[in-house]
Amino acid sequence: MPEIVRSVKGTRDLLPEEIRLWQKVEEEARAAFRAYNFMEIRTPVLEHTSLFARSVGADTDIVSKEMFTFEDRDGESLTLRPEATASVVRAYIEHRLFNEGGIHKLFYLGPMFRRERPQKGRYRQFYQIGAEVLGSDEPETDVDALEMLHALLVMRLRLRDSRLLVNSVGCPRCRPSYVSALRHALENVKDRLCADCQRRSQTNPLRVLDCKVEADQPIIATLPTILDYLCVECREHFDAVKRGLDERAIEYQVTPRLVRGLDYYVRTTFEITSGALGAQNAVAGGGRYDGLAELLGGPQAPGFGFAIGEDRLVLAYGAVEDRAGAEDLIYIAWLEESSLRPAAELARELRQENLRVELLFHPMKFKKSLAAASKMTATFSVIIGPNEASTGRFAVKNMSTGEQEPVERARIADYLRAKLKELNH
Ligand code: AMP
């Protein structure tokens, strides 16, 4: 027997059993985006490697060690996108969307690829749901996008124990003085930091703040914080963002060492964590990236965006939604050959009414048929035997209470709909 071919390490199949949660999360995301007038954009999974090297930054973990990069047959270097902001900004420039003027509010859903060490909540192919606002540097833009994210995660998807961590990472005018202070402070402590941080102290000191090595944390806590170095404009911008969040009653925590692993951020950066997850507790992250469009050869176009880790959101949502996969199912049990035809007719009618219906065709004894209904977690079974066929009333059984009621054939769809509504509220 030939060996079976398995999926690639860090990738996984999403089977029908769990897909319902994914669809629900995506439906809610689309509804939230629509409410705030964001339009969908779909960009390719494959991009030129230089797009990410220039935007995310050559010395970030993502670009230096996590990208799936390969040489195409003609020698060109291509990469499976590790994130989508760079792609969205590329598309914005390439299709000259800026010519239309005004603000562009875009959202996307799709797979991203990073060659990380796989574990629960961390995959090599994972999914992000993200949004970008291009063409505005107003602090209110940041606040509005954060409000939308809050509405989606907390109000719609009931994300438990969530925290919004915010920071400002300054701009190209004020950040250099912070970086030099940081570099200076690192001189004294870098020998006690991990090997990666020793290298980062030289190449990109801000990245030291991102370090996840436990032993480094007490030392990192002593380093200077960027909030003491912000220029007047950046400070005012950050104050306005915080004020806006206060006005909208969105709770947050200022976290001065939050810098995030991508070089293009300026000013506002943030992360949302949830206590419902384990070690990988970051559900979403993002920030402002004024200057990214210019870096990619486009016009000046300030931007703000975020990406939600859909895998992690589904994980957290699955715990909330313990009726997982149980969008109500109606099972039709028929008892004799002669009741198969009325059963099939009823199934067709209920399906036309948009109910989810299962009808099995092989003959079964009554008990076995109802056992099958329980196994597929049907909410109601409709029982059709010779009696029912002659009286024109079918028995409808509530599968969790066991209660059974005769219902007139013509009223079954209405009856089920009313009962389901009652149960789900
Ligand atoms: P980032 O693009 O790094 O800002 O990440 C945004 C969000 O994507 C994170 O908060 C995570 O929820 C999610 N994410 C990032 N990397 C992975 C991964 N390897 N596997 C699963 N989710 C991820």
Side-chain angles (χ1 to χ4, degrees):
M1 281 264 279
E3 214 179 292
I4 61 169
V5 180
R6 294 182 186 278
S7 57
V8 173
K9 182 177 176 185
T11 72
R12 56 199 181 129
D13 301 306
L14 302 173
L15 301 175
E17 198 183 311
E18 56 194 319
I19 211 74
R20 170 79 203 126
L21 288 175
W22 288 75
Q23 289 171 339
K24 172 77 176 155
V25 162
E26 289 166 16
E27 272 165 31
E28 293 294 344
R30 285 178 187 283
F33 291 140
R34 210 198 50 208
Y36 285 78
N37 196 29
F38 281 65
M39 300 294 204
E40 184 172 359
I41 181 167
R42 299 188 191 188
T43 63
V45 162
L46 210 51
E47 295 274 7
H48 292 293
T49 305
S50 57
L51 175 67
F52 306 110
R54 266 159 74 179
S55 57
V56 176
D59 195 51
T60 58
D61 280 356
I62 295 178
V63 173
S64 67
K65 54 186 188 198
E66 294 172 358
M67 294 204 303
F68 283 96
T69 294
F70 62 94
E71 198 173 281
D72 196 7
R73 285 161 200 258
D74 59 7
E76 236 186 319
S77 181
L78 301 180
T79 291
L80 293 176
R81 63 177 182 198
E83 61 109 49
T85 300
S87 302
V88 171
V89 175
R90 177 198 51 67
Y92 172 82
I93 298 166
E94 191 167 333
H95 303 287
R96 308 184 68 80
L97 298 184
F98 50 86
N99 273 353
E100 298 162 17
I103 295 175
H104 289 261
K105 300 201 279 189
L106 304 166
F107 78 88
Y108 60 83
L109 290 88
M112 308 294 155
F113 304 84
R114 293 183 197 171
R115 208 171 183 293
E116 296 193 81
R117 197 167 50 77
Q119 55 178 272
K120 192 169 185 190
R122 200 209 269 156
Y123 309 95
R124 291 184 170 181
Q125 174 171 338
F126 61 99
Y127 295 80
Q128 284 186 338
I129 299 174
E132 314 290 350
V133 184
L134 287 153
S136 162
D137 60 5
E138 296 290 328
E140 277 303 314
T141 295
D142 310 22
V143 177
D144 219 35
L146 286 168
E147 180 189 86
M148 174 172 76
L149 191 53
H150 183 264
L152 172 60
L153 298 181
V154 181
M155 314 300 283
R156 286 177 183 269
L157 295 171
R158 307 194 295 281
L159 183 69
R160 227 176 14 86
D161 199 4
S162 74
R163 289 203 296 171
L164 167 61
L165 314 177
V166 296
N167 192 23
S168 171
V169 292
C171 69
R173 268 197 303 138
C174 54
R175 202 182 309 152
S177 62
Y178 172 63
V179 172
S180 88
L182 191 58
R183 199 171 255 137
H184 190 71
L186 282 167
E187 279 303 313
N188 300 323
V189 296
K190 74 168 191 290
D191 296 344
R192 292 187 278 136
L193 293 171
C194 68
D196 272 344
C197 281
Q198 299 197 7
R199 183 180 47 80
R200 291 177 190 133
S201 304
Q202 301 300 322
T203 54
N204 195 345
L206 273 182
R207 293 276 77 84
V208 172
L209 304 182
D210 260 351
C211 176
K212 302 283 182 298
V213 175
E214 203 54 49
D216 286 7
Q217 301 311 311
I219 305 168
I220 291 172
T222 66
L223 296 170
T225 79
I226 189 147
L227 294 180
D228 295 328
Y229 290 81
L230 295 182
C231 61
V232 176
E233 289 81 1
C234 285
R235 172 162 304 284
E236 283 174 355
H237 194 277
F238 191 42
D239 286 344
V241 169
K242 288 186 288 182
R243 224 172 20 247
L245 292 172
D246 289 334
E247 280 162 8
R248 300 189 196 201
I250 299 171
E251 281 180 38
Y252 60 89
Q253 245 172 288
V254 175
T255 311
R257 288 186 181 79
L258 179 77
V259 291
R260 317 219 64 252
L262 301 93
D263 277 356
Y264 52 60
Y265 285 121
V266 295
R267 297 190 165 170
T268 317
T269 54
F270 74 92
E271 199 158 273
I272 294 181
T273 62
S274 164
L277 296 166
Q280 303 303 318
N281 67 352
V283 180
R288 181 157 277 291
Y289 47 81
D290 309 344
L292 177 56
E294 287 156 286
L295 200 67
L296 295 175
Q300 194 186 6
F304 182 89
F306 63 77
I308 304 169
E310 189 176 0
D311 304 70
R312 295 182 194 174
L313 184 55
V314 166
L315 208 63
Y317 184 63
V320 173
E321 184 69 290
D322 53 6
R323 289 168 58 81
E327 197 199 12
D328 295 287
L329 178 69
I330 313 297
Y331 179 90
I332 300 185
W334 53 278
L335 305 183
E336 285 186 359
E337 211 60 51
S338 63
S339 32
L340 177 55
R341 187 199 277 261
E345 270 170 24
L346 179 66
R348 195 175 57 239
E349 278 178 38
L350 297 182
R351 284 167 177 156
Q352 276 166 358
E353 297 267 335
N354 241 348
L355 290 163
R356 194 156 76 102
V357 178
E358 185 58 271
L359 170 66
L360 300 177
F361 290 104
H362 54 274
M364 275 185 282
K365 292 251 158 44
F366 183 58
K367 261 196 167 153
K368 198 158 170 231
S369 186
L370 280 194
S374 306
K375 188 149 181 246
M376 49 181 90
T377 63
T379 312
F380 285 99
S381 289
V382 182
I383 299 157
I384 309 177
N387 277 348
E388 284 80 2
S390 61
T391 57
R393 300 170 98 194
F394 296 171
V396 180
K397 188 181 182 73
N398 178 325
M399 296 301 290
S400 49
T401 63
E403 280 166 35
Q404 194 168 309
E405 217 181 317
V407 181
E408 245 169 74
R409 168 74 177 77
R411 283 191 47 242
I412 286 188
D414 287 344
Y415 173 89
L416 288 171
R417 209 185 302 287
K419 286 282 177 190
L420 291 176
K421 204 166 169 191
E422 239 171 67
L423 280 181
N424 290 320
H425 282 282

